[in-house]
Amino acid sequence: MNINPPKIADNTGRYAYIKKHNKEIKNFFKGKINGNFLINIKTKVFEKIQMDIISLYPINNYFDNKSIITGTNETAEYDICRLIIGVHRHHSIFLTQEKIKKNEKDEIYQEQIANEVTEKVYLKDLSVKFFRKEQLFTGDNFLFFPVPCELFTLSVKLVNLIAKNSSNFSPIKDYTEIIKGCFSVLTLMENSFLNSAYSLCRGMIELYLKLSIINKHPNSYKTYAKFAVFEIEQSCCSQKYPEEFIELYENRLYKNKSASRNAYLHFGWLDSVPAYNVVNSKRYTVYGLFDYLMGDADNNFYHALNDLRILYKVCHGYVHGSANCILYPIAQYFEISKMLFYIITNVFYDLHKIYDLEILPEDKKLLDELNRDFETLCQQHKKRSIDNFKLYYSIFN
């Protein structure tokens, strides 16, 4: 491996080398982005990073052309180019080819893209450093889009937060399962297995709703944990309902309500929460959890729960096979990103409250960037239509 920069005798030779090198980069990413725009933004990003590049990336890889072009090692140019493509596509969703070309020539837009890519470069040790260099199945590289990339970073920060703090609050291990679920979903997104992500998202939604109720009523956790043991026995061990569970089921509070043993197995622990006042047919269902939590939620949490309720029904279609062939993965990108955003950001705030911690300035900055990019995603999601999906994939295919 050549670990030293090439020796170039004069400015003419240096210009020729840079021109040749940039041509190789254009060819490598051909079809994914306008080559001249890519090089222009790459140059701006390097100007913003300047000497920080030395601390961000191994210097021995930086001048190795094979590493730079193929991404076989951790190299600045490869990561930055993929981030440029992701951020540019994020802002180009449902735009016409003419509007995209106009943006690429606009200096204000160029500066915006360069700034947002630079943000992501400084977070690379918590994000792109972990991404696969090659997808198992080719696709849109959604993990390099701003929202998934920032959610990955936030999840890494949550792992570190739990590792560095201790708490007597028993549900911490349940929060850890949610974070693991987020990594699993993002990995599936990265490798274009988006259909498979919905069952995980569905489970994450259910678990977060349960934890939200436990946060309001901590004394209910003991019963919740008992029912979890019942579920393990029934699902993984004997595949029979334990006698203690059967007794609880037969003597449940609301016998007049239709509740199968299976429904009571998942939600019977809620009988230990006196304030859980859902007494209709939804009591022992996930929709009962939604109804209860939305009853006294503030505006932001109510909006998140309402969106999650709609998306939970979408998950149901994937889990049960009625929606297993999607022509336009960008539609799934919207849905999965929204579910992860609502869950992971709320987990972030929950854990800071549990640990009684102030949010660090660097984390507040990340949340501000995430909220900004999520707002763009939501506005794009409102414009979804078959025609716009076709437009997107006619440009980015």
Side-chain angles (χ1 to χ4, degrees):
M1 176 182 290
N2 175 23
I3 63 172
N4 297 309
K7 295 180 180 180
I8 301 172
D10 53 35
N11 286 336
T12 302
R14 183 178 293 107
Y15 175 77
Y17 170 78
I18 292 173
K19 184 177 180 180
K20 179 177 180 294
H21 177 68
N22 285 340
K23 183 179 179 180
E24 290 175 342
I25 292 176
K26 289 180 183 179
N27 287 336
F28 185 77
F29 292 104
K30 187 176 181 179
K32 296 180 180 295
I33 193 170
N34 178 292
N36 291 331
F37 177 75
L38 175 65
I39 299 303
N40 183 20
I41 302 302
K42 177 178 73 75
T43 302
K44 289 179 180 291
V45 171
F46 274 102
E47 288 173 353
K48 293 176 184 297
I49 297 172
Q50 296 187 6
M51 293 307 294
D52 285 354
I53 195 69
I54 296 173
S55 61
L56 288 167
Y57 285 90
I59 192 67
N60 60 313
N61 288 343
Y62 181 68
F63 294 105
D64 177 57
N65 244 25
K66 182 179 179 182
S67 293
I68 290 170
I69 297 301
T70 64
T72 50
N73 288 309
E74 188 182 2
T75 55
E77 286 202 283
Y78 182 78
D79 283 357
I80 288 171
C81 286
R82 293 188 77 183
L83 285 168
I84 292 169
I85 293 168
V87 173
H88 181 43
R89 284 200 181 184
H90 164 74
H91 288 287
S92 301
I93 293 173
F94 301 154
L95 298 184
T96 63
Q97 185 78 65
E98 291 72 21
K99 177 60 177 175
I100 292 171
K101 288 181 178 179
K102 184 177 180 180
N103 282 344
E104 290 171 347
K105 296 176 182 178
D106 184 89
E107 292 185 4
I108 295 176
Y109 179 79
Q110 293 171 9
E111 189 68 15
Q112 178 186 353
I113 300 301
N115 286 334
E116 292 183 16
V117 170
T118 302
E119 293 170 357
K120 308 299 178 289
V121 172
Y122 280 103
L123 296 173
K124 68 99 179 173
D125 282 342
L126 301 176
S127 56
V128 297
K129 182 177 180 179
F130 297 98
F131 300 171
R132 290 180 62 91
K133 297 302 180 184
E134 295 292 338
Q135 292 177 294
L136 295 179
F137 282 80
T138 57
D140 295 77
N141 283 290
F142 285 129
L143 217 56
F144 284 86
F145 284 37
V147 172
C149 184
E150 289 153 351
L151 286 169
F152 192 103
T153 304
L154 192 61
S155 298
V156 173
K157 285 179 172 287
L158 287 173
V159 171
N160 294 334
L161 185 72
I162 292 174
K164 292 177 181 178
N165 292 276
S166 60
S167 173
N168 294 324
F169 189 57
S170 299
I172 287 297
K173 61 183 177 60
D174 297 279
Y175 277 109
T176 303
E177 289 304 311
I178 289 179
I179 298 166
K180 289 179 181 178
C182 182
F183 284 126
S184 298
V185 170
L186 290 170
T187 301
L188 291 169
M189 178 183 281
E190 177 184 18
N191 289 294
S192 301
F193 298 136
L194 287 93
N195 285 15
S196 302
Y198 285 85
S199 59
L200 289 170
C201 289
R202 185 190 188 203
M204 291 168 65
I205 291 172
E206 288 187 12
L207 182 54
Y208 183 71
L209 295 177
K210 292 174 180 179
L211 288 175
S212 296
I213 291 179
I214 291 169
N215 280 333
K216 291 164 68 74
H217 308 285
N219 291 335
S220 66
Y221 186 77
K222 184 177 180 180
T223 307
Y224 169 80
K226 178 188 287 188
F227 272 72
V229 174
F230 293 155
E231 190 167 347
I232 292 171
E233 175 66 28
Q234 195 277 332
S235 302
C236 306
C237 300
S238 67
Q239 296 188 330
K240 296 179 180 179
Y241 292 104
E243 290 184 8
E244 184 181 0
F245 168 79
I246 294 174
E247 183 178 349
L248 289 170
Y249 174 74
E250 296 297 338
N251 295 288
R252 65 192 183 278
L253 290 175
Y254 298 93
K255 289 185 179 180
N256 58 321
K257 301 302 172 188
S258 58
S260 65
R261 287 185 178 183
N262 189 57
Y264 195 74
L265 183 67
H266 296 309
F267 301 103
W269 65 274
L270 290 163
D271 284 352
S272 67
V273 181
Y276 184 68
N277 54 5
V278 179
V279 295
N280 58 26
S281 59
K282 297 178 183 177
R283 180 175 179 84
Y284 301 117
T285 72
V286 70
Y287 298 107
L289 305 187
F290 276 116
D291 287 349
Y292 175 67
L293 290 169
M294 292 171 75
D296 62 355
D298 60 31
N299 286 339
N300 288 337
F301 195 41
Y302 184 92
H303 174 73
L305 289 171
N306 190 54
D307 260 12
L308 283 174
R309 186 172 190 147
I310 295 168
L311 291 165
Y312 183 85
K313 293 180 180 179
V314 174
C315 291
H316 191 79
Y318 282 93
V319 172
H320 293 281
S322 58
N324 55 15
C325 182
I326 295 296
L327 294 175
Y328 309 110
I330 191 73
Q332 297 171 311
Y333 154 77
F334 288 133
E335 294 165 350
I336 295 170
S337 295
K338 292 182 79 171
M339 287 186 280
L340 293 185
F341 173 86
Y342 290 130
I343 294 170
I344 292 301
T345 54
N346 278 295
V347 166
F348 179 88
Y349 291 118
D350 284 355
L351 289 178
H352 277 76
K353 185 177 180 180
I354 290 167
Y355 290 128
D356 193 24
L357 295 173
E358 294 289 330
I359 297 176
L360 297 173
E362 64 187 63
D363 293 343
K364 186 179 184 305
K365 181 176 182 292
L366 172 61
L367 288 168
D368 288 343
E369 293 166 4
L370 175 57
N371 285 321
R372 174 200 67 202
D373 297 329
F374 183 69
E375 178 60 28
T376 299
L377 182 150
C378 289
Q379 292 304 315
Q380 293 166 338
H381 190 220
K382 291 177 181 178
K383 299 176 183 177
R384 65 193 183 280
S385 67
I386 297 298
D387 286 341
N388 273 335
F389 292 150
K390 289 181 178 179
L391 171 64
Y392 175 82
Y393 282 104
S394 70
I395 298 171
F396 303 111
N397 193 352

